[in-house]
Structure formats: C-alpha cells, structure tokens
Amino acid sequence: MKRHILLLLLVFLGINAMAQDLSTDVIDKKPIDIRGSRVYVEGNKLDKYSAAACFSSIGGVDRSKEYLKYRKGYKTGIGLIAGGASLAVVGFGAALGGFVASYFGDISSEAGDAVMITGYFSVMTGSLCFLAGIPTACVYKAKLNRLEKDHNASLSIGASPGGLSMAISF
C-alpha cells in the first residue's frame, strides 16, 4: 500500500512539474498567426527575428532555426513562382515578336529565328522554375503551419471542483 501511495505521489509531482514546464513554454505565450511567411501576434506583425524568438522554446526544444529555414524555403518557392512566370511571359513575347517580325519581313529570317529560339528557351526555363516553385512553396508553407500549430497547442492542469483536471488544446 505504501508503494502505491508513493507511486501516486511521484506521478502527481511529475505531472505538476510537466505542467509548470509547459506553462513557461506554451501556455503563457500568446497565440500566433502565420500569413504567408509573416508572423502576427494579436494582429501586430513581427520582424523575422522576433518571430523566430516566438519559436525558441516549443515543448522545451529550440525551433527558431527551423522557423528561419522554413521561412527561407517558402520565400524561395514564391520567388521561383514569380520569376518563372515573369520569364515565361517575357519569353513568349519575344518568341511571338520574332515570329511576327520575320513573317512580315521586318527583319531577316535568321534574326527572327534567333529571337524565337531565345524566346522559346526563356519560356521553357520560366516554366521549369514556375513548376519547381509550386511544390517548394507548398512544402515549406505546410511546415510553417505545423510550427504554428505546435506553438498554439496548450496543456493545462489545474484544480477543479471535482478534483484534478487536465485540458489539451490543439
């Protein structure tokens, strides 16, 4: 019987210590909102280093470097999408302009062919960048969302009229 009481006491002390650790790490922090790669706390935008500090201790683990890495990956994906789309549009315009100019005889056919080939190359390169940017942005955005979800999760243990209560929010 003494062993059971001692075991229950140790379990209760362990739960209490865990709740205090979580209260300093997760519970007392204000919920965050990630829109794109920007982090907002109560509607106020944080700079990237203040945002990284929000993730400095999730469950006792420093995840600020993960946040910076995921943010950089997301921005890289968005850059590939925007740059690829721009390059494809410019390349299409160059290819179309070279075709029209050589068709109507404004420039020689060799010069028109060179402009069209350059345009086609630009369209292909831009399309590849665009297509590579979509999964890159999606993967890193999902990782940012997972960090947000982990940050906003909470565990609270406290006294209630019926005894000990525990609430988990995620």
Side-chain angles (χ1 to χ4, degrees):
M1 182 69 177
K2 291 180 184 178
R3 285 187 214 164
H4 294 287
I5 293 174
L6 181 63
L7 182 63
L8 285 174
L9 180 65
L10 289 175
V11 168
F12 180 73
L13 290 175
I15 290 174
N16 190 24
M18 184 176 70
Q20 288 175 356
D21 282 346
L22 287 174
S23 69
T24 59
D25 291 341
V26 177
I27 297 173
D28 292 338
K29 291 187 177 184
K30 296 177 181 168
I32 63 168
D33 183 29
I34 296 180
R35 300 179 208 150
S37 65
R38 297 178 186 93
V39 176
Y40 294 87
V41 175
E42 296 180 340
N44 298 320
K45 180 183 168 203
L46 301 178
D47 64 3
K48 82 175 184 181
Y49 296 109
S50 297
C54 286
F55 299 104
S56 64
S57 183
I58 297 177
V61 178
D62 184 12
R63 298 183 73 182
S64 59
K65 289 181 183 176
E66 286 180 51
Y67 165 73
L68 292 173
K69 182 172 94 173
Y70 298 160
R71 181 180 188 269
K72 184 177 179 181
Y74 176 74
K75 287 182 158 269
T76 300
I78 295 298
L80 281 171
I81 291 170
S86 300
L87 187 61
V89 168
V90 168
F92 181 74
L96 186 63
F99 173 75
V100 169
S102 70
Y103 183 75
F104 289 113
D106 294 342
I107 58 174
S108 66
S109 66
E110 292 84 21
D113 290 344
V115 171
M116 282 192 302
I117 290 172
T118 304
Y120 293 145
F121 180 73
S122 296
V123 167
M124 296 304 278
T125 304
S127 299
L128 290 175
C129 288
F130 183 81
L131 291 175
I134 292 172
T136 303
C138 290
V139 164
Y140 283 104
K141 180 60 179 164
K143 290 181 178 185
L144 283 172
N145 288 341
R146 194 174 322 126
L147 272 178
E148 175 187 10
K149 183 179 170 186
D150 290 346
H151 180 275
N152 290 337
S154 67
L155 169 68
S156 60
I157 299 174
S160 67
L164 187 67
S165 67
M166 181 165 67
I168 299 173
S169 300
F170 51 92

